[in-house]
């Protein structure tokens, strides 16, 4: 069966934009925030580390009316004020406090962020404080006025500033708390560092009262371009213009009472692909505002065990990537970080990256569009989430909404992953099944997947029989033959069986090694051992008849509290093909040569 993810002809979709492919997201986020008018609030912020949340609660553990968020200063020499942002330490934003000051390396708790800024608050404008992400929970005040809260460490959020913004000097205070809790997404146990902070771009966006709020562009079934635009502020007052100048295509449509206008453009864009990552400037105009974005057009579907990109079978030569910078400690967040990570993947011979285990920053997705890398994007429903809690489900769904709302225009994303290595249970099946159905409602133009580590195994075979395989379009398999069990030499003979008739991606395989540690291939942690595991696993994948891609674990060594082994790990997970300084290990060349051979024969 061909699961063609495409776009029902909007002309026949009576309800605006609720056609097969591109429903209106529940998360209301301004689309393309970094391209909007406004001011960047990146740069130096003042911080107060507050493990007892003294800036929020009084000694009776009651919320204070005049907590740190009012940023008070002594009114007189007799006045008692026991904090002062203006003389507190400075940290750069975006950033994670763990890598910015060794005193905060292991810190989990609250840090208060403060930034003063000048703004011209003009009538008839709409001001929005936009955060690319804050891990894990954030509360935001503007000039002492509470704007709102957000939970989830890897998706954007924003608040209308309203009349809290004044003309001239303003200050913003953010309480960021990265404590892990059982009812969060992810939950308390992960194999990555719990980096806390304002980890992505912060911007005060300044748009007209009547503005472009959101839009979606897709390739329609007949190869033309269709989609919808949602306007904000004064809806329906004016027409929306949509154009793709390089295709000579232009149309105007009127939003309905709900602010939504659907459109079709008589345009025939070239297809986007890794070999030809063609992006088009699309321009959406409404009232006094024009928003320009760069968008690629392609189709993705499965047919039996094949993945078809633009109607042709493709093999995904990938690598997994955590959101850590190459060449320095801490979270990756910038365009330069994105370029460094993704160009390394291209040097490895990849046409695909698995951005694990959570939505990465927007620069990564836009860079993947530009460089031509297919993307597996994922929400952090990781390991032992509390699948019995509806509150936890709502958190996971909210993060899915925010990821799709932000990234649904990115041609590079072909897979939405619902989960990673979750234990089999009825509650987990229902939880992830609901998420998959919701993802398809929001965006029927992509494939749904999940990474599973629950195969039936014996020494000579693995049987793919996780019930979740029936719900997803592409089956992700995490398997560490030669590292977690089995001898490396056993892997080449290992055989895999699947009766699902669906594509399989080996979403994780690999082994650890300390760069520069050499010895016998039987000795763990040597580069020779890791390379040997790769060689035997790559021999194995050549016998996986349903395999249509792999994303070995992982591009770069990354920080993890689960990896303390002195002299070898020192709180680094050493399964990277390069270490934290970018030194390539022997296994890098094994995988690179394998991908060169596959690319050479067109697969
Ligand atoms: C798991 C998990 C990763 C983890 C890796 C490892 O498969 O998905 O997040 O880092 O194995 O053990 O290194």
């Amino acid at each position: 069966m061909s699961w063609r993810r495409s776009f029902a002809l909007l002309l026949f979709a009576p309800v605006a934009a609720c056609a097969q492919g591109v429903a209106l997201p529940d998360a209301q986020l301004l689309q393309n925030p970094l391209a909007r008018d406004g001011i960047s609030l990146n740069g130096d912020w003042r911080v107060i580390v507050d493990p007892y949340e003294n800036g929020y609660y009084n000694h009776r553990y009651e919320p204070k009316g005049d907590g740190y968020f009012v940023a008070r200063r002594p009114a007189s020499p007799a006045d008692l004020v026991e904090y002062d942002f203006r003389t507190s330490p400075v940290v750069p934003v975006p950033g994670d406090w763990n890598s910015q000051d060794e005193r905060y390396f292991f810190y989990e708790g609250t840090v208060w962020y403060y930034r003063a800024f000048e703004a011209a608050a003009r009538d008839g404008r709409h001001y929005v404080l936009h955060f690319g992400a804050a891990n894990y929970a954030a509360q935001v005040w503007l000039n002492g006025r509470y704007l709102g809260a957000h939970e989830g460490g890897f998706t954007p959020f924003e608040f209308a500033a309203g009349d809290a913004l004044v003309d001239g000097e303003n200050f913003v205070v953010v309480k960021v708390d990265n404590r892990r809790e059982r009812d969060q997404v992810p939950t308390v146990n992960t194999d990555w560092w719990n980096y806390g902070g304002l980890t992505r771009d912060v911007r005060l966006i300044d748009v007209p009262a009547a503005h472009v709020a959101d839009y979606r562009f897709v390739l329609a079934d007949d190869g033309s371009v269709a989609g919808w635009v949602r306007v904000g502020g004064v809806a329906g007052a004016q027409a929306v213009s949509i154009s793709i100048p390089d295709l000579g295509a232009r149309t105007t449509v009127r939003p309905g009472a709900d602010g939504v206008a659907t459109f079709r453009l008589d345009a025939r864009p070239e297809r986007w692909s890794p070999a030809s990552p063609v992006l088009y400037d699309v321009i959406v105009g409404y009232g006094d505002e024009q928003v320009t974005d760069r968008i690629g057009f392609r189709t993705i579907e499965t047919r039996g065990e094949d993945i078809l990109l633009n109607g042709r079978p493709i093999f995904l030569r990938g690598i997994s990537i955590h959101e850590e910078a190459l060449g320095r400690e801490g979270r990756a967040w910038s365009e330069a970080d994105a370029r460094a990570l993704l160009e390394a993947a291209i040097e490895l011979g990849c046409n695909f990256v698995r951005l694990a285990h959570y939505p990465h920053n927007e620069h990564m997705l836009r860079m993947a569009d530009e460089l031509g890398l297919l993307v597996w994007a994922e929400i952090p429903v990781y390991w032992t989430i509390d699948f019995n809690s509806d509150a936890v489900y709502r958190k996971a769904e909210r993060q899915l909404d925010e990821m799709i709302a932000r990234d649904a225009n990115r041609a590079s994303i072909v897979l939405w992953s619902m989960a990673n290595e979750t234990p089999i249970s009825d509650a987990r099946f229902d939880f992830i099944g609901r998420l998959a159905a919701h993802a398809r409602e929001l965006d029927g133009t992509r494939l749904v997947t999940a990474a599973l580590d629950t195969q039936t195994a014996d020494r000579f075979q693995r049987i793919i029989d996780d019930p979740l395989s029936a719900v997803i379009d592409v089956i992700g398999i995490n398997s560490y033959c030669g590292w977690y069990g089995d001898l490396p030499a056993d892997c080449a003979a290992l055989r895999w069986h699947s009766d699902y008739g669906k594509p399989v991606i080996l979403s994780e395989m690999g082994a650890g090694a300390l760069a520069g540690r050499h010895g016998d291939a039987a000795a763990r942690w040597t580069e020779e051992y890791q390379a040997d595991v790769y060689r035997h696993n790559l021999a194995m994948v050549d016998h996986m008849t349903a395999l249509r891609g792999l994303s070995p674990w992982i591009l770069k060594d990354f920080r993890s509290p689960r990896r303390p082994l002195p002299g070898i790990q020192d709180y680094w997970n050493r399964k990277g093909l390069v270490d934290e300084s970018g030194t390539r290990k022997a296994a890098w060349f094994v995988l690179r040569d394998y991908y060169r051979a596959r690319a050479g024969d067109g697969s």
Side-chain angles (χ1 to χ4, degrees):
M1 174 188 292
S2 162
W3 289 88
R4 183 168 178 75
R5 294 282 182 239
S6 61
F7 185 89
L9 294 181
L10 271 176
L11 299 180
F12 307 109
V15 179
C18 289
Q20 173 194 359
V22 278
L24 281 158
D26 297 340
Q28 305 276 306
L29 290 163
L30 282 178
Q31 186 60 230
N32 202 0
L34 299 181
R36 299 301 189 106
D37 288 345
I39 56 174
S40 170
L41 295 178
N42 292 357
D44 287 347
W45 288 55
R46 299 277 180 172
V47 290
I48 296 173
V49 180
D50 186 9
Y52 283 50
E53 296 184 287
N54 178 58
Y56 190 80
Y57 295 104
N58 64 21
H59 68 305
R60 299 287 186 242
Y61 203 59
E62 298 156 335
K64 290 175 177 172
D66 61 346
Y68 290 174
F69 44 84
V70 300
R72 246 183 80 199
R73 303 202 82 178
S76 71
D79 200 2
L80 175 61
V81 179
E82 296 182 86
Y83 72 98
D84 182 359
F85 279 117
R86 296 155 188 85
T87 55
S88 292
V90 171
V91 297
V93 167
D96 58 273
W97 62 67
N98 314 81
S99 66
Q100 290 175 328
D101 184 320
E102 60 183 13
R103 295 172 299 168
Y104 312 152
F105 181 60
F106 286 103
Y107 179 70
E108 295 183 300
T110 284
V111 172
W112 292 87
Y113 285 80
Y114 165 93
R115 161 92 195 236
F117 64 94
E118 286 285 328
R122 293 169 288 156
D123 291 341
R125 302 293 292 183
H126 177 58
Y127 295 93
V128 175
L129 259 181
H130 177 92
F131 298 82
N135 186 50
Y136 171 84
Q139 290 168 271
V140 179
W141 291 263
L142 178 58
N143 298 321
R145 178 98 67 84
Y146 183 66
L147 295 187
H150 181 265
E151 180 177 342
F154 306 98
T155 48
F157 58 98
E158 61 193 36
F159 303 110
D163 57 11
L165 184 75
V166 299
D167 199 22
E169 176 87 3
N170 293 265
F171 69 90
V172 54
V173 173
V174 186
K175 179 182 184 289
V176 181
D177 182 352
N178 75 332
R179 275 172 306 175
R180 292 163 293 113
E181 305 289 355
R182 183 71 187 89
D183 68 343
Q184 291 177 348
V185 179
T187 185
V188 291
N189 58 331
T190 69
D191 190 23
W192 70 79
W193 207 262
N194 180 29
Y195 291 109
L198 292 178
T199 49
R200 295 180 188 166
D201 295 293
V202 183
R203 186 168 183 75
L204 178 70
I205 295 174
D206 165 3
V207 292
H211 56 273
V212 176
D214 196 358
Y215 49 82
R216 201 73 78 241
F217 284 74
V218 288
L219 195 63
D221 277 343
D222 65 357
S224 65
V225 172
W228 52 259
V229 175
R230 179 168 60 81
V231 297
V234 180
Q238 307 154 67
V240 177
S241 66
I242 299 115
S243 65
I244 305 180
D246 287 351
L247 296 174
R250 178 182 176 77
T251 185
T252 55
V253 287
R254 281 200 175 278
D258 60 357
V260 177
T262 58
F263 67 85
R264 290 273 314 265
L265 278 174
D266 186 13
R268 292 291 184 282
E270 278 182 58
R271 297 290 191 276
W272 182 96
S273 71
S276 173
V278 176
L279 298 176
Y280 290 91
D281 282 345
V282 302
I283 302 171
V284 181
Y286 181 64
D288 299 332
E289 191 184 28
Q290 271 207 339
V291 183
T292 299
D293 205 335
R294 288 179 57 74
I295 292 180
F297 299 91
R298 49 119 192 90
T299 61
I300 192 76
E301 59 192 307
T302 63
R303 184 176 298 144
E305 293 178 341
D306 283 338
I307 295 174
L308 307 183
L309 176 68
N310 300 319
R312 297 183 56 208
I314 188 167
F315 186 87
L316 305 179
R317 307 187 306 273
I319 191 73
S320 292
I321 297 177
H322 257 306
E323 191 186 46
E324 278 192 358
L326 264 181
R328 75 162 198 276
E329 289 252 14
R331 279 276 175 242
W333 63 267
S334 67
E335 185 176 323
D337 289 335
R339 183 175 295 279
L341 286 164
L342 297 182
E343 286 186 342
I346 288 175
E347 273 194 68
L348 186 58
C350 298
N351 62 2
F352 170 60
V353 288
R354 178 187 178 204
L355 300 186
H357 283 295
Y358 36 75
H360 285 214
N361 65 79
E362 190 171 353
H363 298 291
M364 286 290 275
L365 286 313
R366 289 182 175 275
M367 189 61 66
D369 276 7
E370 295 282 350
L371 297 180
L373 284 163
L374 296 158
V375 168
W376 162 313
E378 186 162 293
I379 51 172
V381 175
Y382 182 92
W383 288 355
T384 53
I385 292 284
D386 182 356
F387 293 107
N388 292 296
S389 161
D390 198 50
V392 171
Y393 174 80
R394 287 196 302 275
K395 292 177 184 181
E397 187 176 270
R398 178 74 194 178
Q399 293 186 32
L400 179 62
D401 285 346
E402 291 167 346
M403 175 173 72
I404 293 179
R406 186 192 71 177
D407 295 337
N409 287 310
R410 306 278 71 82
S412 51
I413 300 176
V414 290
L415 291 154
W416 297 124
S417 171
M418 300 297 107
N420 181 75
E421 294 195 351
T422 53
I424 290 177
S425 74
D426 292 344
R428 166 261 204 175
F429 182 83
D430 294 342
F431 187 108
I432 298 174
R434 277 176 74 187
L435 283 175
H438 189 67
R440 293 190 176 107
E441 278 168 24
L442 287 178
D443 175 17
T445 71
R446 290 178 172 88
L447 303 173
V448 170
T449 189
L452 311 174
D453 67 337
T454 47
Q455 303 84 31
T456 299
D458 67 31
R459 183 159 176 236
F460 302 106
Q461 66 174 355
R462 299 285 190 277
I463 299 169
I464 297 174
D465 54 3
D466 183 317
L468 212 48
S469 306
V471 170
I472 49 187
D473 301 317
V474 175
I475 301 168
I477 295 292
N478 290 359
S479 169
Y480 283 87
C481 180
W483 183 258
Y484 294 126
D486 309 298
L487 293 173
D490 291 344
C491 303
L494 201 54
R495 293 297 172 261
W496 289 78
H497 306 286
S498 163
D499 294 332
Y500 290 97
K502 295 179 177 179
V504 171
I505 289 177
L506 188 58
S507 36
E508 290 184 34
M509 55 160 263
L514 179 65
R517 185 185 183 92
H518 295 285
D520 186 285
R524 285 227 191 222
W525 306 113
T526 61
E527 289 193 32
E528 287 72 19
Y529 187 103
Q530 185 189 42
D532 205 36
V533 168
Y534 267 76
R535 269 189 286 273
H536 288 297
N537 275 272
L538 293 174
M540 173 189 79
V541 303
D542 285 343
H543 296 279
M544 294 175 72
T545 55
L547 191 80
R548 296 297 180 270
L550 62 153
S551 49
W553 195 258
I554 187 169
L555 177 68
K556 180 189 84 73
D557 291 351
F558 60 95
R559 283 286 186 196
S560 170
R562 301 168 60 87
R563 313 295 176 175
L565 181 60
I568 300 276
Q569 295 176 319
D570 298 311
Y571 295 111
W572 290 99
N573 182 311
R574 292 292 184 194
K575 296 189 183 69
L577 295 177
V578 305
D579 73 356
E580 62 273 24
S581 64
T583 304
R584 291 172 180 177
K585 305 173 191 175
W588 162 284
F589 302 96
V590 172
L591 185 61
R592 182 206 60 186
D593 293 348
Y594 177 79
Y595 280 164
R596 280 182 176 171
R598 284 209 77 122
D601 67 19
S603 68

